[in-house]
Amino acid sequence: MRTLIPSPLTPETFAPFGDVLDATGDFRLINAGLCQRHHDRATLDFGPEGRAGISVFQARPRALPYAFDLIERHPEGSQAFLPMTEHPFLVIVATGPDAPPQAFLTNGAQGINLHRGIWHGVLAPLHAPGLFAVVDRIGTTPNLEEHRYPAPWTVLAP
């Protein structure tokens, strides 16, 4: 069996794949000092033929151990996942379809932005309701490539 142990999601470890979206680090106060603005947290990329779109996804929760054999990528634009509840979710990424995947576990207060062309697993919440706002490219050209591993990978509990 091919197994992975998820690592905690940090900006440093996730940098090759995208951006970690959270309310940590530098901020400026707005709204009469009642709100912290953590400014410009992601590099959004919708390509020359696309535009930004916001969708709402409701994904079925998964449990660890979690077996998967499918990864995908979006060659025409970035894709951001912003959880609408305070629950951790599993993030699976790979540098390519022939490379071993990596697994990360969010802390319940993080979202992610996958850079254009990054291979990744499907949305994998670990708790119901699995509700996410997703910011990604809307356009007329194809923006999805899928790869199935010949044998599944299993993500174990940390």
Side-chain angles (χ1 to χ4, degrees), residues 37-141:
R37 179 179 174 140
H38 298 265
H39 185 71
D40 197 19
R41 302 304 298 229
T43 302
L44 302 177
D45 177 0
F46 306 114
E49 304 284 325
R51 64 173 177 82
I54 299 175
S55 303
V56 177
F57 287 17
Q58 190 159 18
R60 290 185 183 159
R62 311 311 199 281
L64 297 177
Y66 168 63
F68 70 95
D69 68 354
L70 174 70
I71 57 173
E72 62 184 35
R73 72 175 178 168
H74 308 286
E76 301 291 326
S78 59
Q79 188 175 47
F81 293 89
L82 303 154
M84 297 173 73
T85 61
E86 292 184 0
H87 296 297
F89 65 101
L90 186 62
V91 179
I92 297 166
V93 290
T95 58
D98 296 325
Q102 292 178 255
F104 296 95
L105 189 59
T106 68
N107 66 13
Q110 297 169 309
I112 61 163
N113 177 57
L114 295 162
H115 290 168
R116 176 198 292 227
I118 293 297
W119 289 97
H120 61 90
V122 300
L123 183 56
L126 298 175
H127 301 276
L131 195 60
F132 290 77
V134 178
V135 180
D136 62 356
R137 179 187 179 277
I138 306 298
T140 58
T141 56

